[in-house]
Amino acid sequence: AVVSTQSTGVTLNCTAHNKPALIRDHMEEILPNLYKETTIKLKREVEMGPFKYPVDDALDNRKAAFECMYTVLQNCIDRVNIFQFLDHIEIGLKDVPDIKMLTYLMVLRLIQINPNAVVLKLDNILEPLRDTFNSKLKDICPIGQEVEKVNELKRSAMRTVIGMSKIPEIEKHPSFVEFMKKIRFYKETDNLFKQELQASDSEEMVWEN
């Protein structure tokens, strides 16, 4: 059943990407099942020698669901209830690193097409971003994944923060102002902010040219 569900998600993702017209009028039937997959976790422990490691048999299904959500966002967003969509982005913001990075991309895209919706969900988006910056290596990658993956997760989170900082009048929202004060207060996050801001500005200049 797990493999079947994953295959369905992959098929739907391909259809949404390549032939969105085939599914645009069926979003009301498709999305509830897609959203359901973003919440399912099937955790167990496996033994490897003297150690036990956590395994989530539903992880690939969730990844497929979030990948499909990203494609829907790109191609069918006018047929989607944006606040329900954001509810499930919030779930992804608290998931494993690969899914977090997908949801960061979705937040960035929503900033472009519907910044007001992002602002209305601001506190719920900032909380998991804060957790990412506060996390230590062992919290993010408990089975010893490479440091570079953790660094890329934090860079991706910071790009999302920078995108949010460019929303008109975002400085009027106390929760974001307080969040940015803490980002700029700590040397690690302040340096990361400066690096990603410089990269972001450079990309915009290239685009404008």
Side-chain angles (χ1 to χ4, degrees), residues 40-42 56-64 95-96 99:
I40 296 174
K41 296 182 180 181
L42 299 173
D56 184 350
D57 290 325
L59 177 57
D60 287 340
N61 289 355
R62 292 203 310 282
K63 285 183 182 178
D95 211 312
V96 299
I99 291 176

Side-chain angles (χ1 to χ4, degrees), residues 84-158:
Q84 286 184 353
F85 196 89
L86 271 163
D87 285 342
H88 291 273
I89 287 180
E90 290 172 27
I91 292 170
L93 288 168
K94 300 174 184 178
D95 211 312
V96 299
D98 287 346
I99 291 176
K100 284 182 180 181
M101 286 193 278
L102 266 174
T103 54
Y104 295 157
L105 289 173
M106 286 190 266
V107 172
L108 282 172
R109 179 62 179 148
L110 281 169
I111 287 168
Q112 295 175 338
I113 62 179
N114 196 333
N116 290 335
V118 174
V119 169
L120 288 172
K121 290 282 190 175
L122 189 62
D123 290 342
N124 292 347
I125 295 172
L126 289 178
E127 180 186 351
L129 284 170
R130 186 183 297 110
D131 290 343
T132 292
F133 293 125
N134 290 339
S135 295
K136 306 298 182 184
L137 177 62
K138 64 180 179 62
D139 299 322
I140 300 176
C141 297
I143 52 176
Q145 293 176 337
E146 65 274 15
V147 173
E148 180 54 33
K149 186 166 187 177
V150 176
N151 290 336
E152 177 53 34
L153 176 67
K154 292 190 176 186
R155 287 194 294 269
S156 181
M158 190 61 77

